[in-house]
Amino acid sequence: MKKTTQLKALLRDRKLLVAPGAYDVLSAKIIAQSGFGAVYMTGYGTSASVLGKPDVGLLTMTEMVARAAAIADAVDVPVLADGDTGYGNPLNVMRTVREYEKAGVCAIQLEDQLFPKRCGHMQGRRVIPMEEMVQKIKAAADTRLDSDFVIIARTDARTSLGLDEALRRGKAYEEAGADVIFIESPEGVEEMRRITATFPDTPTLANMLEGGRTPNLTTDELEAMGFGIAIFCTGPLYAAAKAVSDYMVELKTQKTTQKLLPELIAFEDFNALIGLPEYNSTEKHYSS
């Protein structure tokens, strides 16, 4: 089964699809090997890992496609990839969708922010007119070559224009051909319930950003509410940043990392994680 078809089947299931956020290939492999059904390629984390800079529209489309292709090639589960604003008008969106499809991802997330965009839980986000985004969604739907390639339409209207406007936009994007609706940063449980009630026939996405504007609920609670997808977009990035920072403090202050050994993955275990045994076996197979 194609991975796009696999993703479509997962979305038809009433069970919540949990897609933790990958900021590079290694984090994506850890997510997949941990048993999760999908990987979400986070633009926020990609900007941090590629540029060491905040998610304020600095990454180009080709940089995002290159990272998406590397992740999709490294894991056997579907990859949902952040496509930011589509990097321009509907014609740009058409090229973006084709490049993401060629990269091997199964879904692209497109948002209605005014460029330069910002992380969905930051203040200062502005949105384009709804009618402009509708045309972008139509262009995305019309240009995909694989009918199972999923288009996730995200609106950032809640923070500046209110939930009613965000829901109105979500309905318009649904009608334009979006497969998943993503109302970014609702600010309470009742708002989250309104979102799923508004889209009973289309999967909705919940963004569980630790420390963000939306309540951090359990996956069971999100499933009971009726969400189709839950992304934990920044958690793996924050966990890694904290672990590396703690390691550096220990090395700097204690001049040794001996005390941290129980907290580190073992040499052999890490080699297994990145596939060294398989490479050794293949090398042996072809050796003369």
Side-chain angles (χ1 to χ4, degrees):
M1 184 186 294
K2 295 182 302 181
K3 285 196 280 187
T4 51
T5 306
Q6 181 183 345
L7 176 59
K8 272 294 186 70
L10 290 169
L11 293 178
R12 282 193 294 270
D13 194 337
R14 303 305 296 179
K15 185 175 177 59
L16 180 75
L17 176 62
V18 180
Y23 54 89
D24 65 2
V25 176
L26 180 61
S27 57
K29 288 178 72 71
I30 293 171
I31 291 165
Q33 292 183 20
S34 297
F36 289 96
V39 169
Y40 174 76
M41 190 192 90
T42 159
Y44 178 101
T46 302
S47 184
S49 64
V50 172
L51 302 178
K53 295 185 182 296
D55 184 17
V56 290
L58 300 177
L59 280 172
T60 65
M61 184 266 284
T62 51
E63 287 173 315
M64 288 288 284
V65 167
R67 179 58 63 92
I71 289 174
D73 185 59
V75 299
D76 293 328
V77 298
V79 174
L80 293 63
D82 189 349
D84 294 324
T85 64
Y87 309 100
N89 64 22
L91 296 181
N92 300 101
V93 168
M94 292 172 71
R95 179 172 181 238
T96 298
V97 167
R98 288 172 183 160
E99 293 298 323
Y100 272 58
E101 273 197 284
K102 286 190 289 184
V105 303
C106 299
I108 186 170
Q109 173 196 302
L110 298 169
E111 61 202 42
D112 60 3
Q113 284 197 58
L114 185 67
F115 196 84
K117 51 88 66 191
R118 302 174 72 86
C119 165
H121 288 249
M122 292 177 181
Q123 294 284 7
R125 286 168 290 138
R126 297 175 294 164
V127 292
I128 62 175
M130 183 184 76
E131 294 75 16
E132 287 186 25
M133 184 63 176
V134 164
Q135 295 308 314
K136 287 187 177 187
I137 297 300
K138 287 181 177 179
D142 289 344
T143 201
R144 58 184 164 186
L145 299 178
D146 182 351
S147 60
D148 285 337
F149 184 78
V150 170
I151 297 166
I152 303 171
R154 165 178 146 182
T155 178
D156 285 72
R158 163 63 189 93
T159 302
S160 58
L161 300 177
L163 183 62
D164 288 342
E165 174 61 15
L167 294 176
R168 185 176 78 93
R169 285 171 176 251
K171 292 301 291 184
Y173 304 161
E174 177 187 43
E175 293 170 8
D179 302 293
V180 175
I181 300 300
F182 177 6
I183 308 294
E184 177 62 293
S185 57
E187 298 185 6
V189 170
E190 288 308 313
E191 290 195 4
M192 298 173 76
R193 289 197 177 103
R194 279 192 64 192
I195 290 169
T196 55
T198 302
F199 303 96
D201 302 318
T202 300
T204 48
L205 185 150
N207 184 9
M208 295 290 98
L209 191 155
E210 290 88 350
R213 305 176 68 84
T214 300
N216 198 330
L217 305 182
T218 69
T219 55
D220 286 343
E221 290 172 319
L222 294 170
E223 183 173 292
M225 280 186 183
F227 282 100
I229 305 175
I231 60 172
F232 288 74
C233 61
T234 62
L237 175 70
Y238 291 169
K242 179 66 164 58
V244 173
S245 296
D246 289 347
Y247 179 97
M248 296 307 163
V249 169
E250 183 73 10
L251 177 58
K252 184 72 172 176
T253 58
Q254 302 303 315
K255 303 183 183 350
T256 177
T257 60
Q258 191 67 29
K259 194 174 82 172
L260 294 178
L261 289 179
E263 299 178 28
L264 303 182
I265 187 171
F267 178 70
E268 292 299 332
D269 292 340
F270 188 82
N271 287 338
L273 170 66
I274 58 177
L276 180 61
E278 290 82 2
Y279 277 91
N280 288 342
S281 177
T282 302
E283 182 180 39
K284 183 177 180 180
H285 176 76
Y286 288 109
S287 66
S288 57

